[in-house]
Amino acid sequence: MLVLSIDTATKACAVGLCRDGKILAEYKINMGMTHSEGLMPQLEQLLERTGVQKADIDLIAVSMGPGSFTGLRIGLATAEALAYAWKKPLQGVATPLALTYNLPVSGIVLSPVLDAQKGNYYQALYEWQDGEVAELQSVQVVNKQQLLENLALQGKPAVILGECAKLESMELPGWCSLAPEYLRLPQAAGTALAALKAYNPEVQSGIFGLEPYYIRKSEAEELWEQKHGKQ
């Protein structure tokens, strides 16, 4: 199965191609370019350079968040448009789950984190067990202290990955470390591999049945409620 994947959950914009678990190509840019500017050109160049035709693609995978509100909307809208135009199935993938494929190592707790603004993080906990990803904690919004407390409760060595640059100045306990910088941000390859694992053609809900995994309201929504009151 040939999977085209899109990840726009963070400031980085990534697209990739994966066939039967083998990564054919991946194209990621983290230079501050907006997703609306970069995503379609990256997709066009990916397909052109690999010689893959739209007819060859079996599945489109897209990162569903949590993460950047605008980025997630752009990624999902693009994936839906391609799936509709090309008549291909669409598979959404939780961004923290996709991040675990950056470091498929057993014996450690993986803590994908994404910036939730205002000094908070989206955090989930996973562990690779016998070649499969086990969820130890679903996504929560936490501050730095809560982030470490959740890891300490697992009683195992832990690695934090994702949008964790702000944690570099924080003194971490000896059993906890940050992933190498080149393995931290979401990869389109991880999104493709997670989608390939989750995809079941018999239980698809349709191209337009997906909703981004926001967890909390956007700042614009919070400001509107402060001004107008909750409806």
Side-chain angles (χ1 to χ4, degrees):
M1 177 173 281
L2 182 60
V3 183
L4 172 67
S5 60
I6 297 171
D7 194 304
T8 55
T10 66
K11 293 180 180 180
C13 186
V15 295
L17 285 168
C18 170
R19 177 180 282 122
D20 299 330
K22 180 180 179 181
I23 307 305
L24 302 182
E26 187 173 27
Y27 191 175
K28 181 172 70 175
I29 293 180
N30 185 24
M31 293 292 291
M33 182 185 297
T34 65
H35 299 315
S36 59
E37 293 175 301
L39 180 54
M40 288 308 297
Q42 283 178 238
L43 284 167
E44 290 172 2
Q45 292 173 34
L46 179 78
L47 297 177
E48 181 180 352
R49 293 292 300 275
T50 58
V52 170
Q53 304 296 315
K54 61 184 180 183
D56 301 328
I57 295 170
D58 300 302
L59 177 67
I60 296 174
V62 62
S63 182
M64 299 300 294
S68 162
F69 285 83
T70 303
L72 291 172
R73 286 193 290 268
I74 291 172
L76 179 56
T78 301
E80 287 178 335
L82 294 177
Y84 178 78
W86 297 351
K87 296 180 173 56
K88 305 295 181 179
L90 180 63
Q91 178 68 49
V93 175
T95 306
L97 176 61
L99 275 164
T100 66
Y101 284 80
N102 292 10
L103 200 60
V105 179
S106 60
I108 59 174
V109 175
L110 295 177
S111 174
V113 298
L114 295 151
D115 189 3
Q117 305 299 320
K118 302 178 181 178
N120 295 318
Y121 294 89
Y122 300 112
Q123 181 195 35
L125 301 180
Y126 300 91
E127 184 179 4
W128 282 89
Q129 300 173 355
D130 299 322
E132 302 286 339
V133 181
E135 183 182 73
L136 306 179
Q137 173 194 294
S138 59
V139 178
Q140 299 179 3
V141 179
V142 299
N143 59 32
K144 292 180 180 180
Q145 190 59 41
Q146 292 168 328
L147 186 154
L148 291 178
E149 289 174 356
N150 288 340
L151 285 171
L153 290 173
Q154 303 302 318
K156 291 183 178 181
V159 175
I160 302 172
L161 62 166
E163 293 180 306
C164 54
K166 294 178 182 178
L167 298 174
E168 290 179 332
S169 60
M170 186 176 182
E171 185 175 351
L172 299 175
W175 47 265
C176 181
S177 62
L178 301 181
E181 189 169 355
Y182 64 92
L183 291 176
R184 290 181 190 175
L185 289 181
Q187 315 282 341
T191 302
L193 292 171
L196 192 60
K197 183 70 176 178
Y199 177 62
N200 183 344
E202 297 181 1
V203 293
Q204 292 300 294
S205 58
I207 293 173
F208 300 107
L210 298 179
E211 291 290 338
Y213 194 19
Y214 289 138
I215 305 294
R216 66 171 182 82
K217 295 177 181 178
S218 68
E219 185 174 359
E221 290 174 311
E222 292 175 350
L223 291 173
W224 192 94
E225 288 186 353
Q226 290 174 12
K227 184 175 180 180
H228 301 280
K230 294 182 179 180
Q231 299 298 313

